[in-house]
Amino acid sequence: MTASNLSAISTDPIWVESGEQLNTLCEQWQQQGAVAIDTEFMRTSTFYPIAALFQVSDGHGCYLIDPLKIEDFSGFKALLVNESVVKVLHACSEDLEVFKTFLGVLPSPLFDTQWAAACAGYDFSMGYARLADTLLSVEVAKSETRSDWLQRPLSESQLRYAALDVAYLLVVYALLLKKLKEQDRLSWVQTECAQQVASAAVTPDFSVAYKKVKTAWKLSSRQLAVLQALANWREIAARERDVPRNRLAKDGALWDIARTQPDALGELTRIEGLAPRTIRGDGDTLLALIESTLNQPAEQDPPRLPEPLARSTTDFVKALKQAARQVAEDIEVPPEVLLRKKDIEDLVRSGLAGDYQLPERLLGWRRNIVGEQLLALAKQWPA
């Protein structure tokens, strides 16, 4: 389907609320080369997203699938994992979590139109509405983004919004697919999308959750051991109780506990960012965690985390960034497609540790485009 076929697309929402109806539709969609999919969900007071709606467009109609009513999703799950049908979504990291949580499967093969647009030379992280306007000159309203998607019945405005979210997505996909093939960049998108799915499928390692606390590098190994135990506890408890992490304790609170190592409930009350309900319900558990960690052999403590790069590396980092920006400009893509700030930091750190090595993300298709150039520049930089 191309942009010239827009008038053939019906944007009238088609409500689907029975498993039998959904399975019949999925049998039809299994015969297509691609389907467009989106989700609506709620996540205001839970750890896991609550699926409120699935939208599918087959290029002819917009189908709104009700997960609050349907029990049999076998046909839909089979569609999601059918390797002969491309699943087209836009900026889908949270959608992947909805699929994993609610259905236990992930869409594959995946084509993320936000990432594809960036690889094709459009702005990085473009929203769907702006992308549709840029490519198709059509307006997709975003007025219902934060509305209550669990209410029933949905309002006419919600139904219209949900349908438009997928109505033109296959047309966008076709245009981007054509451009990416012409640019010989389709493999970039396929690789990144496959990695998105693979990453979403991995069970998180709670034992390394402490490393995500921004100022963890300031702590000693013994303090880090406490932070590790606390962060591990929070990850497990948040999932078991289905509540947001911050409802139990904010990152800063965990860091402060690890630093001060309180041994009484009264001391916990002075920790900013630690919810009173957590102190009441989990205070004794936290104190026991601290005590048991402090009693463990020191050799079990995690090593200190690396400090932020020293100011002496500032010019070096700037030179690497500028080289990457120049490559991005030359091939007309946003710099973020090629690398992140962390990639440059990892490259610099590898040299400080003794031998410059490309980080994993700069291997694969990025290696010949930008990786080898940055590696060569790094090796030439004065020690």
Side-chain angles (χ1 to χ4, degrees):
M1 179 169 289
T2 64
S4 61
N5 301 123
L6 291 182
S7 60
I9 299 174
S10 172
T11 59
D12 294 331
I14 302 170
W15 190 252
V16 181
E17 61 179 6
S18 77
E20 182 179 3
Q21 182 186 7
L22 176 59
N23 287 333
T24 298
L25 288 168
C26 287
E27 288 179 6
Q28 300 172 16
W29 297 335
Q30 296 267 20
Q31 309 308 311
Q32 297 203 176
V35 292
I37 303 177
D38 191 23
T39 72
E40 302 297 344
F41 58 91
M42 300 293 289
R43 196 182 203 168
T44 55
S45 60
T46 60
F47 182 90
Y48 296 106
I50 303 172
L53 195 67
F54 294 108
Q55 303 107 286
V56 176
S57 172
D58 56 7
H60 305 288
C62 301
Y63 301 85
L64 310 185
I65 302 164
D66 187 3
L68 306 187
K69 191 76 175 289
I70 297 173
E71 296 182 0
D72 181 8
F73 274 88
S74 58
F76 193 52
K77 289 194 286 186
L79 173 69
L80 290 176
V81 299
N82 185 340
E83 291 293 326
S84 66
V85 182
V86 177
K87 270 63 70 171
V88 182
L89 294 94
H90 185 86
C92 60
S93 59
E94 290 185 298
D95 298 306
L96 295 183
E97 192 172 357
V98 175
F99 291 126
K100 183 179 180 180
T101 301
F102 186 77
L103 297 174
V105 299
L106 291 165
S108 179
L110 169 70
F111 188 98
D112 186 333
T113 50
Q114 184 179 71
W115 180 256
C119 289
Y122 297 98
D123 290 346
F124 194 72
S125 295
M126 285 184 73
Y128 174 58
R130 188 156 74 93
L131 183 58
D133 182 45
T134 300
L135 295 182
L136 309 175
S137 298
V138 297
E139 182 178 350
V140 178
K142 303 300 291 181
S143 57
E144 296 289 346
T145 302
R146 300 189 182 278
S147 63
D148 180 4
W149 289 100
L150 290 173
Q151 72 176 3
R152 293 296 185 269
L154 296 176
S155 68
E156 289 298 321
S157 177
Q158 285 177 304
L159 294 172
R160 175 72 174 169
Y161 168 95
L164 287 176
D165 255 2
V166 290
Y168 306 114
L169 198 50
L170 285 182
V171 187
V172 169
Y173 163 66
L175 293 174
L176 290 175
L177 189 64
K178 181 177 183 293
K179 187 165 186 176
L180 290 166
K181 287 180 178 179
E182 293 171 349
Q183 297 168 320
D184 196 24
R185 296 177 186 174
L186 179 57
S187 61
W188 300 5
V189 176
Q190 291 171 331
T191 299
E192 295 300 313
C193 289
Q195 182 57 52
Q196 268 190 281
V197 175
S199 296
V202 172
T203 300
D205 180 0
F206 302 154
S207 69
V208 297
Y210 73 99
K211 294 182 179 180
K212 295 183 179 180
V213 178
K214 289 184 179 179
T215 51
W217 61 271
K218 294 183 178 181
L219 301 178
S220 68
S221 289
R222 177 103 301 192
Q223 292 169 328
L224 277 179
V226 176
L227 181 63
Q228 182 180 41
L230 295 171
N232 186 76
W233 165 81
R234 185 179 66 171
E235 290 298 316
I236 295 172
R239 287 167 170 79
E240 288 179 346
R241 303 174 195 181
D242 195 18
V243 296
R245 295 180 184 89
N246 284 349
R247 181 160 295 194
L248 298 176
K250 295 181 178 179
D251 281 1
L254 297 187
W255 185 89
D256 211 15
I257 295 172
R259 181 182 63 84
T260 59
Q261 299 166 9
D263 58 7
L265 289 175
E267 294 178 48
L268 287 178
T269 62
R270 293 193 286 272
I271 301 295
E272 186 177 353
L274 187 62
R277 70 175 75 86
T278 300
I279 298 174
R280 291 193 301 270
D282 301 291
D284 290 335
T285 298
L286 296 179
L287 294 177
L289 272 175
I290 296 168
E291 182 180 10
S292 63
T293 302
L294 295 177
N295 287 333
Q296 73 182 17
E299 55 265 26
Q300 294 182 20
D301 296 346
R304 294 197 65 174
L305 297 176
E307 297 182 11
L309 291 174
R311 288 186 177 181
S312 59
T313 67
T314 299
D315 290 342
F316 184 18
V317 169
K318 285 183 177 178
L320 291 170
K321 286 182 177 178
Q322 179 54 41
R325 280 196 295 267
Q326 186 59 56
V327 172
E329 183 178 330
D330 290 343
I331 64 174
E332 299 181 336
V333 297
E336 296 91 341
V337 168
L338 299 183
L339 80 171
R340 303 167 298 190
K341 178 182 177 182
K342 184 178 183 301
D343 298 324
I344 289 181
E345 291 180 353
D346 288 346
L347 175 57
V348 173
R349 289 186 191 281
S350 70
L352 296 176
D355 185 27
Y356 287 109
Q357 300 288 334
L358 285 176
E360 183 177 357
R361 196 164 179 270
L362 293 186
L363 301 175
W365 63 267
R366 291 183 177 87
R367 183 168 196 151
N368 291 333
I369 295 170
V370 70
E372 291 294 347
Q373 181 174 330
L374 294 182
L375 184 60
L377 177 60
K379 289 181 176 180
Q380 293 169 9
W381 196 262

